[in-house]
Amino acid sequence: MDKILEGLVTSSHPLNLKKLIVKKVVESAENSINEEQCKAMFTLTTRLVLEGEDYFQKQVGHQVLEAYARYHRAEFENFFNRNFVLTLLQEGYGSLDRKDVLIIDYIHSGLKLIMSCPSVLDIFTVLQVEVLRIVCERPEPSLCARLSELLSDFVQCVPKGKMSISFCQQLVRTIGHFQCISTLEKELREYVSQVTKVSSLLQNIWKAEPCTLLPSLQEVFAIISSTVFLFGGSFISDASFEPSVALASLVQHIPLQMITVLIRSLTTDPNVKDASMTQALCRMIDWLSWPLAQHVETWVIALLKGLAAVQKFTILIDVTLLKIELVFNRLWFPLVRPGALAVLSHMLLSFQHSPEAFHMIVPHVVNLVQSFKSDGLPSSTTFLIQFSELMHCMIYHYSGFPDLYEPILEALKDLPKPSEEKVKLILNQSAWTSQSNALASCLPRLSGKSETGKTGLINLGNTCYMNSVLQALFMATDFRRQVLSLNLNGCNSLMKKLQHLFAFLAHTQREAYAPHVFFEASRPPWFTPRSQQDCSEYLRFLLDRLHEEEKTLKAVSSMSPDTMITDGNVQPSSPSGADGFPRPQSTGWKSDDKTLIESMFGGKLQTNICCLNCRSTSQKIEAFSDLSLAFCPPAIDKPAQNMICSPTEKDDDCIEIDVAPETEPQSVNLPSAEEGVKDSELKSVGREIQATSTCVVGTPTCESTVECANDSCRNSERDKPMSVTDLLNYFLAPEILDGENRYHCEKCSSLQNAEKTMQILEEPEYLILTLLRFSYDPKCHVRRKILDNVSIPLVLELPVERTTSVASPGDWNRDGDLPDVGGNLAKKLKPSGTEDMSCTQLITYVLSSIVVHSGTSSESGHYYSYARNINNSARCIQPEKTALTSHQSQIVGKETCNSVVGNDKPCNDMSKEWFLFNDSRVTFTSFQSVLNITSRFPKDTAYVLIYKRHSSGDIDNVQSNSSHGVWVNGEPPLQKELMDAITKDNKLYLQVWADNCSVDFSN
């Protein structure tokens, strides 16, 4: 019969005829035949199954073999014996290699046919050994899948005891070697199916023998954490080899209740090095690309949290920055999108010490949102809602990048926006620093200086209030150059530390500098480290410290040369003076009575109080380094012109006065922004302004002052925001003291209603304006933030009163110099009977820098600053108009109205003139971004403004004061010890940076 069958399958007869004859052969299996005939038939059918030339021959072999084995079981048991199976597995069959999947399929079929035979136990024993050998040889996925099917059907073939642990470990390693190079969908689906079969086998073994689970997981970690692999019987290091993401198929079979124990054991094991943990975490994140695998994101997030719990921040930072873009890209694929979004959310929400990770994905956000919006699928809509919430949280947390975030906000504008309370709740849930105040390795990765050429300041833990102020002061060119010009060798003062900081900011090659020393030296004693503070309070304290320190230095140095100043304290020095603080004439400080802070930031303000009963006036002159501008109270419904000297109640710091202007204000027209302004034009403009200044003889009268009180705070155009000029005018406007605020008049010897006015007598070189945005709520006992938008003029004109005593108005020489009336810094009262000549001069200021507060309260939020190269800004000095009133046009007998003028129109400034300083990051920006900041980001509001007094000779004056050498790139030469320190640091940094760039991460 075997000869007939062999001739039939190889003949050229029609297929239908062949099938008919094969059917007869199968039916004949019921007939009794001898053992030799059975063996011949089993041999033929085995050959057809394994080496058949086509599908028909293989199918005939299976049908006939199954029929004869069923009816002649004893004979088949003798044929399909232990030795035959062993030979197939070790030597193959004919032309077939022993690793051919047909061998495994044939054995699988044979086991089904002799399952009830006693000899099958011997075959099971053989297979327990052979399957372990096979998996150790790293079979291909197809062979491993067929073997898994066999072992799943015949669990008796699975190795037992210690061999079962080894088998599971080797099978895990085999999965780690799986690869699929095809990109065809059909082949990819087949590959995923093969891997699923293998992982299912492991799941069954883990359930049957729980002792194999932990060793298997240890093997998984060993694979993904190492770059050393077994190849050809020896261990080699192969940086190009990457364990297969097919290992992700195992994660779904690990009981979730084991997560806590396993992660804690892993993260606390002293034998696990950081490099291994980093490698393992990176590869686990790669598993997110594996389709159909469940709980991968659960394990990744658990490991991230575990590492944060043991403060492995270096690993978390490195892995986040390395893999954040890969995780984001997985959002494009529906099958893995939920897991990728979960991991992306956790990585971003926990990485809160720096915006670096978030900014790596920012360029890709808009395209993703627009694509998902266009497809209209319900799943896409659900995803976008979740994704939008995440983006709003990140933008809220990393404020200070308006140009970067505006396209994202535009793309998300149609999606729900979470409330501020929800955003804060989300941000507080996952941050690493919420578990520990000590965040190791929070410094940015080594990189070269940014394209701006500016150096950032590293946030040392809620020190943005200091960083933003220091960058604003650094960009105050004249002040910076004066500080750098000082000869402070041998001293250890705060000014010396500021000089050191400015020098490093100007000359370091670092992307960002860590101001540890200056922070410790300049921090006010009541400022708690690592907590949010008020930048205005810090700035005021810093300037006061520097001012008092210099006064002490000059006083001590004038008395004894053998003294030195250490952080503001006077100490004796050695007789040789080697450690002594240099005398004033050798420091570069001016020899006059003014300190550097006074000459740069100091001004004088006169307060006049006029008793409304006796008309007597008292005057007090005070020095100031900044002006605190209160916000105007809400306007009342009645027209302003109907309210003459009618005060309305407001906040504790403000009283609103409604007045009716008598005439239209005059204006002085300057060249437009498009025409540009040269230095010569600016001088002529200054003369024109001075010529139109109003001079007054006599004591200020209450009536005239009230009549000219500025009402610009009640903006007639309700849709326009309040401006800085409005706030300044409100600051200088008259105030009626009545009720509980009545003034004690010495002449009347009683409390009387009075009028209070203020005048600026001496303008500072740099005008610092603080907008009082934080008001105290007595009901809730908290400081609330005023979020009103305030427009910021690029150019400001400040009215300054020039006053001198005269014998009579006829002796007044208009072209004469105006002496300074504020020589004494102490507060003083001036008798009201003195007759003065008063001249109001408008001083032009240009905007230098702005410190922005992002947040809704003084106890939280973030500070960042805008600043510009003020030297390039001469063409923008063009105020829109002056605010000289009819009172100012009358030379005699009237009081000048204090009024401020600003130019709110954006200047066509150079694109690389403005800089945005946000801790360690410095980027180019524009003045348009400054103007739009609050309208785009309501909680980001200007808080401290620094204006520079415009003078064409400023730069020349500063440079002429330096006697220490040649200026380089517009900067004064540094002292040798300071230059040597910077050079040494630059060399060290560049060497470390070069070494870091040459290191292969995988090694």
Side-chain angles (χ1 to χ4, degrees):
M1 187 63 70
D2 61 302
K3 298 297 183 181
I4 297 174
L5 181 61
E6 184 177 8
L8 176 66
V9 296
T10 58
S11 68
S12 59
H13 293 299
L15 185 59
N16 290 337
L17 179 60
K18 290 181 179 181
K19 289 182 178 180
L20 183 60
I21 298 174
V22 169
K23 184 177 180 182
K24 297 295 183 180
V25 174
V26 171
E27 293 174 353
S28 68
E30 300 177 7
N31 301 330
S32 177
I33 56 176
N34 59 38
E35 185 176 350
E36 288 297 326
Q37 290 176 327
C38 283
K39 183 177 180 181
M41 186 60 75
F42 293 146
T43 302
L44 173 62
T45 53
T46 298
R47 182 161 54 84
L48 290 175
V49 170
L50 296 176
E51 293 185 311
E53 296 178 358
D54 53 32
Y55 176 75
F56 175 72
Q57 290 186 10
K58 293 179 183 296
Q59 186 182 36
V60 169
H62 276 293
Q63 291 177 354
V64 176
L65 177 62
E66 183 178 350
Y68 274 78
R70 184 182 304 114
Y71 291 104
H72 305 278
R73 190 172 300 277
E75 289 77 5
F76 182 71
E77 185 179 2
N78 291 332
F79 174 80
F80 192 80
N81 56 36
R82 176 183 183 276
N83 293 331
F84 178 67
V85 172
L86 187 60
T87 301
L88 288 175
L89 293 173
Q90 293 183 350
E91 301 177 9
Y93 183 90
S95 61
L96 294 182
D97 184 77
R98 59 190 176 88
K99 295 182 180 180
D100 198 298
V101 294
L102 294 176
I103 299 291
I104 299 298
D105 288 343
Y106 176 79
I107 295 175
H108 193 177
S109 300
L111 289 175
K112 292 179 180 179
L113 295 176
I114 64 167
M115 185 60 190
S116 60
C117 300
S119 62
V120 74
L121 297 178
D122 293 335
I123 298 177
F124 288 161
T125 303
V126 169
L127 287 173
Q128 288 177 4
V129 176
E130 287 301 307
V131 295
L132 177 57
R133 179 189 59 78
I134 292 173
V135 296
C136 288
E137 294 176 351
R138 308 292 175 255
E140 293 296 321
S142 57
L143 177 60
C144 202
R146 300 295 177 86
L147 185 63
S148 298
E149 290 179 355
L150 186 153
L151 296 178
S152 296
D153 289 344
F154 299 96
V155 295
Q156 301 90 336
C157 300
V158 176
K160 307 299 179 184
K162 292 183 179 180
M163 287 179 59
S164 66
I165 296 177
S166 298
F167 176 77
C168 290
Q169 291 175 322
Q170 293 300 326
L171 191 56
V172 167
R173 285 199 169 272
T174 297
I175 296 175
H177 281 75
F178 284 174
Q179 299 296 334
C180 180
I181 60 176
S182 176
T183 58
L184 299 177
E185 182 180 352
K186 181 179 179 181
E187 295 182 7
L188 289 173
R189 289 181 178 274
E190 179 64 24
Y191 174 66
V192 172
S193 176
Q194 292 166 355
V195 174
T196 302
K197 292 175 181 178
V198 179
S199 63
S200 297
L201 171 64
L202 272 172
Q203 178 191 20
N204 295 334
I205 297 176
W206 292 341
K207 287 182 178 180
E209 298 187 56
C211 63
T212 61
L213 176 57
L214 186 57
S216 299
L217 298 182
Q218 291 172 340
E219 195 66 27
V220 171
F221 180 77
I223 294 171
I224 64 177
S225 64
S226 176
T227 57
V228 179
F229 302 96
L230 182 63
F231 181 80
S234 60
F235 288 96
I236 63 170
S237 177
D238 184 5
S240 64
F241 179 83
E242 276 296 317
S244 173
V245 294
L247 288 168
S249 62
L250 301 178
V251 174
Q252 60 188 325
H253 303 309
I254 305 173
L256 292 178
Q257 57 267 29
M258 295 185 64
I259 289 182
T260 304
V261 176
L262 290 175
I263 296 299
R264 184 185 299 116
S265 173
L266 193 61
T267 55
T268 57
D269 187 348
N271 297 320
V272 178
K273 305 302 181 183
D274 286 358
S276 297
M277 185 66 75
T278 302
Q279 192 78 279
L281 183 54
C282 285
R283 286 167 173 163
M284 285 182 69
I285 292 173
D286 292 341
W287 292 353
L288 290 171
S289 61
W290 183 256
L292 305 180
Q294 301 176 3
H295 310 311
V296 172
E297 70 278 5
T298 304
W299 282 92
V300 171
I301 293 173
L303 184 53
L304 290 171
K305 290 181 177 180
L307 291 170
V310 295
Q311 299 186 15
K312 294 288 186 179
F313 299 122
T314 301
I315 298 176
L316 292 169
I317 291 172
D318 290 343
V319 172
T320 300
L321 296 178
L322 187 64
K323 292 297 183 179
I324 191 74
E325 290 181 288
L326 181 144
V327 176
F328 181 87
N329 289 333
R330 294 296 177 264
L331 298 176
W332 289 97
F333 305 100
L335 286 178
V336 298
R337 186 179 300 152
L341 180 60
V343 174
L344 179 70
S345 299
H346 181 81
M347 294 175 80
L348 291 177
L349 293 172
S350 60
F351 196 96
Q352 292 189 22
H353 68 282
S354 163
E356 186 173 2
F358 177 51
H359 287 179
M360 293 176 73
I361 69 168
V362 161
H364 315 296
V365 169
V366 173
N367 288 338
L368 182 75
V369 172
Q370 291 176 344
S371 176
F372 283 10
K373 276 185 174 181
S374 62
D375 66 24
L377 297 176
S379 59
S380 297
T381 303
T382 302
F383 163 77
L384 282 176
I385 294 175
Q386 298 173 333
F387 184 73
S388 174
E389 182 176 87
L390 175 63
M391 293 299 101
H392 281 295
C393 288
M394 292 297 98
I395 292 173
Y396 179 92
H397 183 65
Y398 299 124
S399 55
F401 302 94
D403 299 335
L404 197 61
Y405 297 156
E406 187 173 16
I408 298 179
L409 293 177
E410 180 66 23
L412 300 175
K413 65 181 181 180
D414 298 329
L415 296 168
K417 181 180 180 181
S419 65
E420 185 175 356
E421 291 72 18
K422 186 174 183 180
V423 168
K424 290 180 178 179
L425 178 64
I426 294 173
L427 290 172
N428 289 335
Q429 288 176 345
S430 302
W432 301 331
T433 49
S434 65
Q435 301 178 22
S436 170
N437 287 330
L439 177 58
S441 187
C442 64
L443 307 184
R445 291 183 297 176
L446 289 174
S447 59
K449 213 165 188 177
S450 70
E451 62 176 352
T452 64
K454 304 296 182 183
T455 302
L457 289 172
I458 295 172
N459 194 314
L460 306 178
N462 283 329
T463 58
C464 56
Y465 67 89
M466 176 187 72
N467 292 348
S468 57
V469 164
L470 292 178
Q471 293 287 16
L473 292 178
F474 178 80
M475 293 299 287
T477 308
D478 293 356
F479 177 64
R480 178 182 75 246
R481 289 173 174 171
Q482 290 283 12
V483 170
L484 292 177
S485 300
L486 297 175
N487 180 6
L488 301 175
N489 289 337
C491 75
N492 190 29
S493 63
L494 182 60
M495 183 63 79
K496 173 67 174 180
K497 293 180 175 62
L498 181 63
Q499 183 187 63
H500 184 278
L501 175 63
F502 279 3
F504 266 81
L505 288 178
H507 299 285
T508 185
Q509 293 298 316
R510 296 178 180 271
E511 179 187 24
Y513 180 74
H516 291 285
V517 175
F518 190 81
F519 171 68
E520 293 300 331
S522 65
R523 177 175 61 85
W526 60 91
F527 275 22
T528 304
R530 307 192 67 85
S531 62
Q532 182 64 276
Q533 305 294 344
D534 190 323
C535 77
S536 174
E537 185 178 3
Y538 173 78
L539 174 59
R540 193 175 293 111
F541 174 83
L542 175 62
L543 296 181
D544 288 347
R545 271 279 307 274
L546 294 172
H547 167 70
E548 293 299 329
E549 183 182 83
E550 184 180 345
K551 286 205 311 181
T552 303
L553 165 68
K554 289 181 176 180
V556 172
S557 298
S558 63
M559 293 185 294
S560 172
D562 298 328
T563 56
M564 66 177 292
I565 301 291
T566 302
D567 288 337
N569 298 321
V570 180
Q571 296 181 1
S573 65
S574 60
S576 63
D579 297 328
F581 203 91
R583 289 177 175 273
Q585 57 266 28
S586 66
T587 63
W589 270 318
K590 296 180 180 179
S591 58
D592 57 18
D593 292 336
K594 286 190 175 183
T595 66
L596 176 59
I597 300 303
E598 282 181 297
S599 63
M600 287 290 142
F601 304 100
K604 291 178 182 176
L605 187 69
Q606 176 175 286
T607 302
N608 306 310
I609 300 180
C610 174
C611 176
L612 296 181
N613 182 43
C614 66
R615 305 305 186 194
S616 64
T617 302
S618 64
Q619 296 180 341
K620 180 173 65 175
I621 298 178
E622 297 176 289
F624 70 88
S625 60
D626 72 310
L627 298 179
S628 299
L629 306 182
F631 277 72
C632 308
I636 60 177
D637 296 336
K638 294 182 179 181
Q641 59 268 28
N642 296 332
M643 300 294 294
I644 305 298
C645 298
S646 175
T648 58
E649 292 187 1
K650 52 162 283 178
D651 294 341
D652 296 339
D653 296 330
C654 303
I655 292 183
E656 182 178 20
I657 309 296
D658 295 307
V659 298
E662 294 182 358
T663 60
E664 292 296 324
Q666 295 180 347
S667 64
V668 177
N669 295 325
L670 299 181
S672 63
E674 291 76 7
E675 295 172 353
V677 179
K678 298 180 181 178
D679 286 342
S680 59
E681 294 173 332
L682 287 168
K683 292 178 181 178
S684 64
V685 168
R687 287 193 294 270
E688 183 180 358
I689 293 175
Q690 191 168 4
T692 58
S693 300
T694 302
C695 297
V696 180
V697 176
T699 303
T701 63
C702 305
E703 293 87 345
S704 62
T705 308
V706 172
E707 289 174 357
C708 74
N710 190 284
D711 64 339
S712 61
C713 289
R714 291 171 304 282
N715 198 331
S716 60
E717 300 182 26
R718 298 290 179 175
D719 56 333
K720 288 186 178 181
M722 192 179 302
S723 70
V724 172
T725 58
D726 294 334
L727 301 185
L728 258 173
N729 286 332
Y730 184 71
F731 175 81
L732 296 173
E735 177 184 355
I736 297 299
L737 305 179
D738 60 359
E740 294 183 356
N741 287 332
R742 286 186 298 169
Y743 166 69
H744 186 275
C745 177
E746 294 183 359
K747 186 174 182 180
C748 299
S749 299
S750 62
L751 294 175
Q752 298 291 336
N753 292 343
E755 181 200 49
K756 175 183 176 182
T757 60
M758 287 186 289
Q759 298 171 319
I760 297 174
L761 298 182
E762 183 176 318
E763 75 280 5
E765 183 69 19
Y766 285 94
L767 175 64
I768 300 177
L769 303 177
T770 301
L771 309 188
L772 296 177
R773 290 192 172 274
F774 302 112
S775 60
Y776 180 72
D777 186 343
K779 294 182 179 179
C780 301
H781 302 287
V782 295
R783 292 179 70 195
R784 299 190 181 279
K785 182 179 179 181
I786 301 172
L787 295 172
D788 293 358
N789 191 7
V790 176
S791 65
I792 303 171
L794 189 62
V795 180
L796 193 70
E797 285 188 331
L798 188 71
V800 178
E801 296 297 318
R802 307 298 193 190
T803 309
T804 183
S805 299
V806 293
S808 66
D811 296 333
W812 172 39
N813 181 4
R814 181 163 182 161
D815 295 331
D817 295 334
L818 298 176
D820 182 9
V821 300
N824 185 6
L825 290 180
K827 298 181 181 179
K828 55 186 179 180
L829 294 176
K830 180 179 178 182
S832 60
T834 304
E835 186 176 32
D836 292 338
M837 178 181 72
S838 178
C839 178
T840 300
Q841 182 177 355
L842 296 178
I843 306 300
T844 303
Y845 281 86
V846 293
L847 184 61
S848 173
S849 56
I850 305 153
V851 178
V852 176
H853 178 262
S854 177
T856 56
S857 72
S858 60
E859 288 76 23
S860 63
H862 179 62
Y863 289 102
Y864 58 93
S865 56
Y866 289 92
R868 64 168 171 168
N869 289 323
I870 200 69
N871 296 337
N872 298 333
S873 306
R875 65 189 180 283
C876 294
I877 311 302
Q878 31 201 315
E880 204 169 23
K881 61 180 180 179
T882 61
L884 300 177
T885 67
S886 59
H887 298 282
Q888 294 171 303
S889 63
Q890 301 178 25
I891 304 301
V892 181
K894 294 290 184 181
E895 166 62 14
T896 300
C897 173
N898 288 341
S899 188
V900 184
V901 177
N903 177 16
D904 296 332
K905 292 184 178 180
C907 173
N908 296 326
D909 55 333
M910 295 178 62
S911 60
K912 294 187 177 181
E913 183 178 80
W914 283 90
F915 302 92
L916 175 58
F917 296 90
N918 195 333
D919 287 335
S920 58
R921 285 156 186 80
V922 186
T923 56
F924 288 118
T925 187
S926 65
F927 184 59
Q928 193 63 37
S929 176
V930 178
L931 294 178
N932 297 337
I933 180 67
T934 304
S935 60
R936 292 181 297 175
F937 303 88
K939 68 184 181 69
D940 292 24
T941 54
Y943 184 38
V944 177
L945 312 176
I946 300 181
Y947 281 86
K948 168 71 170 65
R949 183 168 63 88
H950 176 71
S951 174
S952 60
D954 286 342
I955 305 304
D956 297 334
N957 292 338
V958 175
Q959 295 193 26
S960 63
N961 290 334
S962 176
S963 59
H964 304 303
V966 180
W967 286 50
V968 180
N969 296 327
E971 298 295 334
L974 301 180
Q975 300 301 314
K976 184 177 184 304
E977 63 169 349
L978 189 53
M979 197 66 246
D980 290 345
I982 295 174
T983 302
K984 181 179 179 180
D985 181 77
N986 284 338
K987 289 181 179 179
L988 177 62
Y989 174 77
L990 292 175
Q991 181 61 47
V992 174
W993 182 67
D995 294 343
N996 183 72
C997 292
S998 63
V999 172
D1000 188 347
F1001 175 80
S1002 60
N1003 291 329

